[in-house]
Amino acid sequence: MTTTENPIRNGVDTATLFATLDAVKGDPEIAKFQFRATNRWVSGTHNQSTIHGFHGAKQEMAHRVPFTFDADHPPVLVGTDNGPTPVEYVLHALAACLTAGIANVAAARGVNLTEVSSTVEGDIDLLGILGLSDEVRNGYQGIRVSFTLRGDDPEKLRKVVEQSRRRSAVFDVVTNGVPVSIDVDAG
Amino acid sequence: MTTTENPIRNGVDTATLFATLDAVKGDPEIAKFQFRATNRWVSGTHNQSTIHGFHGAKQEMAHRVPFTFDADHPPVLVGTDNGPTPVEYVLHALAACLTAGIANVAAARGVNLTEVSSTVEGDIDLLGILGLSDEVRNGYQGIRVSFTLRGDDPEKLRKVVEQSRRRSAVFDVVTNGVPVSIDVDAG
């Protein structure tokens, strides 16, 4: 196990982080994860997902509680605003992944953080999803993330963000795309 | 305005839905939206996003309340499990977008739904984000969505799912990718 003078930095248990890296190096099968969400339609554009169990480290695991999230459309998009739109959750996921990575990378490098905040903006032209233009894509045309970081040397902080981007799962998904299959039981 | 015999179907106000389509046909600028999320780091891999304001229909708008969401890693990934992982939120967003589309498309086609439920699974090999392999991508290698629908004729239900997929914003983002820019103020 790698040791460190200050095992907790930025709230990250770096001793456990390095021990986890060592464990995965010893048995790469530990790193194969499957995450899941279940969703049920409520009414109109309102639906609710539950996130609880997942597979990882060669076993079935679960979050300490089931997390539930409502999604809906606002009235301007003919919904009842019981939650954010699905596309807004994508922006949250992107910010959250990059921010968690920033905390981990900074801790691993011995860089102290006092603030990490961000705003994510996504531009979307609804002519696509409304079926009113075949030339406009359905999804975001572009997403901008603006980070504010405070802590140690600014140049170190910028390099931490760059490394987080290079190792972010959601950044990869959102920029490069993933194959998605859809099965339907319409019994 | 298009009229319909049953203006509310599946909880969707189809009269307003068709009126919205007519309004956008008359002024396509209405369809240009910008969605946003702000995020602040809490500690370690725990951070929180707020989703409230957005731009659309040529004006600044807001959800009726600010929605807040915690993201974190579970203990097996050196976190404190204060919320789902960012990659799990992506699965939720995908299910939510396809499900909202199913409700809208079915309503527009006069197809009745009694149940729409789904499970989304994403496979990810953490050798990528842990920096232990340059051949393994950071994000999901594949995502599977399994829908169960009940209501009218099964063949109609299957076609509704297919049309929702064809017009889903999150399906487009997740399968095709989006350009993402990142700015850093490291003051």
Side-chain angles (χ1 to χ4, degrees), chain B residues 26-49:
Chain B
D27 184 357
E29 287 294 307
I30 293 174
K32 291 186 178 172
F33 274 62
Q34 179 185 88
F35 290 110
R36 303 173 196 132
T38 58
N39 182 280
R40 68 178 184 87
W41 172 60
V42 180
S43 180
T45 51
H46 179 205
N47 58 78
Q48 186 180 68
S49 290

Side-chain angles (χ1 to χ4, degrees), chain B residues 99-172:
Chain B
T99 300
I102 287 167
N104 274 341
V105 170
R109 293 182 177 186
V111 174
N112 293 303
L113 300 170
T114 56
E115 179 191 345
V116 183
S117 57
S118 58
T119 299
V120 190
E121 300 173 332
D123 295 319
I124 189 167
D125 186 336
L126 301 184
L127 293 181
I129 65 171
L130 292 173
L132 297 177
S133 170
D134 287 332
E135 291 164 18
V136 174
R137 70 177 296 175
N138 296 320
Y140 287 121
Q141 296 170 316
I143 294 173
R144 290 172 303 286
V145 187
S146 301
F147 272 107
T148 299
L149 272 76
R150 295 293 181 267
D152 284 349
D153 174 58
E155 192 50 33
K156 285 184 183 172
L157 297 178
R158 273 189 285 271
K159 287 181 178 169
V160 164
V161 176
E162 173 55 21
Q163 180 62 14
S164 174
R165 185 193 65 74
R166 289 188 60 239
R167 289 300 177 195
S168 166
V170 177
F171 183 85
D172 175 24

Side-chain angles (χ1 to χ4, degrees), chain A residues 108-186:
Chain A
R109 293 182 176 185
V111 174
N112 293 303
L113 300 170
T114 56
E115 178 192 347
V116 183
S117 58
S118 58
T119 298
V120 189
E121 300 173 332
D123 296 319
I124 188 167
D125 186 336
L126 302 184
L127 293 180
I129 65 171
L130 293 172
L132 297 177
S133 170
D134 287 333
E135 292 165 18
V136 175
R137 71 178 294 176
N138 295 320
Y140 287 120
Q141 296 170 316
I143 295 173
R144 289 172 303 286
V145 187
S146 301
F147 272 107
T148 299
L149 272 77
R150 295 291 181 269
D152 285 349
D153 174 58
E155 191 50 34
K156 285 184 183 173
L157 297 178
R158 273 188 285 271
K159 286 181 179 169
V160 164
V161 176
E162 173 55 22
Q163 180 63 14
S164 174
R165 185 194 66 73
R166 289 188 60 237
R167 289 301 177 193
S168 164
V170 177
F171 183 86
D172 176 23
V173 167
V174 170
T175 55
N176 296 319
V178 174
V180 176
S181 68
I182 300 179
D183 293 322
V184 181
D185 168 4

Side-chain angles (χ1 to χ4, degrees), chain A residues 74-86:
Chain A
V76 68
L77 298 175
V78 201
T80 45
D81 211 15
N82 290 288
T85 60

